[in-house]
Amino acid sequence: MSTSSHLYPMSSGDDQHSYIHNSSYQKVAISGAEEKTRRCILEKLDLQLSSDFSTFRIADFGCSTGPNTFHVVQSIIDTVKSRHFKENNEHSLVPLEFQVFFNDHTTNDFNTLFKTQPPSSEREYFSVGVPGSFYGRVLPRNSIHIGHTSYTTHWLSKAPEHVCDKKSIAWNKNYIQCNNLLEEVTKAYKVQFIEDMDAFLDARGEELVPGGLMTIIGECLPDGVSLYETWQGFVMDTIGDCLMDMAKSGITSEEKIDVFSLPVYFPQFSELKGEIERNGSFTIELMETTSHPLEGMALTNEFITSTFRAFLTTIIEKHFGDGVVDELFDRLAKKLYKHPIDFEMRKKLVVYYIVLKRK
């Protein structure tokens, strides 16, 4: 039984365990790329992208519940306005209006998203919710001028079926993620990643206008590094160990763990670049990696536990049932306290920043 990511969005609501209060790790990386976004829009964007240019359309694919999406959108709008004013400073300005499409899974908490967006008196755009998986078309052809996505494409449309099949050579035995320790498992995940990335780029290639920009921010593995070597991979493997301990205590079962594998794949940088080039829908205007801004800090166990809980709660609850999450992350916190992460010794994922232009 494969696990589909589109069924399990980030933790909803606005309580202490919600994604809205536990996404600062992502926010710091996104904010770190803000100046790059501004420069690329100023340098690469053609403001004569369509005959109907009184409305500028922006889409955030995989927006979740905020607040990060609102920060990104406003930054893009401010930069486009600056570019528009600069290009028209000797002419009468055509009023420019903005429409923003917030896309995420059908099960995303859109109620919280729109409750927490800036009030209409401060908002410079008309907002639209667009439910649906971004691994397919969700918007009309040639309708978007700038698309954005951040911390999303490592989530696959589903876990490869073979990794949850105990009879398969690609069965992900003893692990709940693709940590690159089992060769056949890694191969199966890579095939799914290629299929999904191709679908993502094909869909955006139809939705963006020719010359439109697509910005992508996320994390990947440096070439030659395996996920199990990173502190993030260590945490996920530790969560798997906690589940096994819970099975031994009768809280869950080994049978459930045997057929559970997260629909998550972190490609190496060269893999990601190769797939974009192979797809051919876009030209690569900028593609680089950098260290996460918090890399030099020893993150607290509380911060790590809360961050991982925010994006794993719904998928854990769906597979293992209610009442498991509290126990699981209590155990994780205790294990991390007993076996602290050596951040200096552990390898790390890198933040990638990509700007694509629609051909």
Side-chain angles (χ1 to χ4, degrees):
M1 179 181 66
S2 63
T3 306
S4 300
S5 68
H6 68 271
L7 298 177
Y8 312 111
M10 305 298 100
S11 294
S12 60
D14 62 354
D15 64 21
Q16 63 175 331
H17 299 305
S18 64
Y19 184 77
I20 198 171
H21 291 304
N22 293 283
S23 55
S24 60
Y25 182 84
Q26 295 88 331
K27 180 181 179 180
V28 170
I30 294 168
S31 296
E34 187 174 319
E35 180 58 25
K36 292 185 178 70
T37 301
R38 191 187 72 83
R39 288 202 309 267
C40 282
I41 292 174
L42 292 175
E43 296 172 4
K44 307 289 186 180
L45 182 66
D46 179 5
L47 282 180
Q48 305 305 318
L49 292 172
S50 67
S51 57
D52 175 23
F53 200 67
S54 61
T55 302
F56 192 95
R57 298 181 181 88
I58 301 165
D60 185 356
F61 300 97
C63 62
S64 191
T65 56
N68 297 342
T69 185
F70 304 128
H71 180 79
V72 168
V73 164
Q74 190 58 52
S75 177
I76 292 173
I77 288 174
D78 289 343
T79 307
V80 171
K81 285 170 60 181
S82 175
R83 172 72 183 273
H84 185 240
F85 179 79
K86 184 178 180 180
E87 288 200 1
N88 292 273
N89 59 357
E90 296 180 358
H91 310 282
S92 59
L93 281 175
V94 177
L96 192 60
E97 294 187 314
F98 293 90
Q99 187 173 28
V100 178
F101 298 87
F102 295 98
N103 160 254
D104 213 314
H105 310 308
T106 55
T107 49
N108 183 57
D109 185 2
F110 283 100
N111 285 334
T112 294
L113 175 74
F114 289 116
K115 283 179 183 177
T116 56
Q117 71 177 344
S120 57
S121 59
E122 300 175 11
R123 202 164 60 241
E124 298 183 80
Y125 53 87
F126 298 94
S127 54
V128 181
V130 183
S133 170
F134 58 46
Y135 286 121
R137 282 267 310 281
V138 292
L139 292 166
R141 289 185 178 88
N142 300 324
S143 62
I144 301 300
H145 300 103
I146 294 181
H148 171 83
T149 193
S150 54
Y151 278 82
T152 56
T153 55
H154 59 280
W155 285 98
L156 304 177
S157 63
K158 63 179 181 179
E161 292 184 7
H162 297 305
V163 304
C164 298
D165 181 358
K166 296 173 72 171
K167 297 179 181 179
S168 171
I169 60 172
W171 177 36
N172 200 16
K173 184 180 181 181
N174 297 327
Y175 299 110
I176 64 168
Q177 65 165 341
C178 178
N179 58 14
N180 308 123
L181 275 171
L182 303 176
E183 183 178 356
E184 294 301 325
V185 171
T186 301
K187 287 180 180 178
Y189 268 94
K190 184 172 182 178
V191 168
Q192 187 65 52
F193 165 74
I194 291 172
E195 178 182 320
D196 286 344
M197 197 65 191
D198 210 35
F200 177 87
L201 293 170
D202 282 346
R204 304 297 82 77
E206 291 193 61
E207 293 163 344
L208 266 68
V209 300
L213 299 181
M214 182 74 207
T215 63
I216 308 175
I217 302 171
E219 288 187 314
C220 66
L221 291 163
D223 287 349
V225 174
S226 296
L227 189 61
Y228 73 86
E229 299 177 280
T230 68
W231 72 262
Q232 296 95 332
F234 171 78
V235 172
M236 286 305 311
D237 284 338
T238 303
I239 291 173
D241 293 341
C242 291
L243 285 169
M244 288 302 298
D245 291 343
M246 291 167 66
K248 293 173 183 176
S249 300
I251 300 172
T252 187
S253 67
E254 289 191 25
E255 288 74 16
K256 285 187 176 181
I257 299 171
D258 286 344
V259 294
F260 178 73
S261 200
L262 290 168
V264 172
Y265 180 75
F266 288 99
Q268 294 188 5
F269 179 74
S270 59
E271 286 181 72
L272 181 60
K273 184 177 182 182
E275 286 313 306
I276 295 172
E277 291 174 336
R278 187 189 61 80
N279 177 268
S281 298
F282 297 86
T283 59
I284 299 176
E285 301 297 316
L286 178 67
M287 185 168 186
E288 61 184 38
T289 62
T290 186
S291 301
H292 192 283
L294 298 181
E295 182 179 300
M297 300 174 59
L299 304 178
T300 66
N301 291 341
E302 180 182 5
F303 180 86
I304 293 170
T305 302
S306 297
T307 299
F308 277 73
R309 176 171 180 154
F311 65 77
L312 289 176
T313 288
T314 52
I315 198 168
I316 294 291
E317 284 183 342
K318 182 68 175 180
H319 187 83
F320 293 97
D322 296 335
V324 171
V325 170
D326 286 344
E327 177 69 20
L328 174 61
F329 286 97
D330 282 347
R331 287 175 179 254
L332 174 63
K334 291 174 182 176
K335 277 188 180 288
L336 292 179
Y337 178 79
K338 189 175 181 180
H339 305 286
I341 299 172
D342 188 336
F343 287 97
E344 291 187 4
M345 293 296 295
R346 283 279 172 183
K347 295 182 179 179
K348 301 169 183 68
L349 294 169
V350 291
V351 177
Y352 62 78
Y353 181 73
I354 304 170
V355 178
L356 307 176
K357 178 176 279 191
R358 163 82 153 80
K359 290 182 178 178

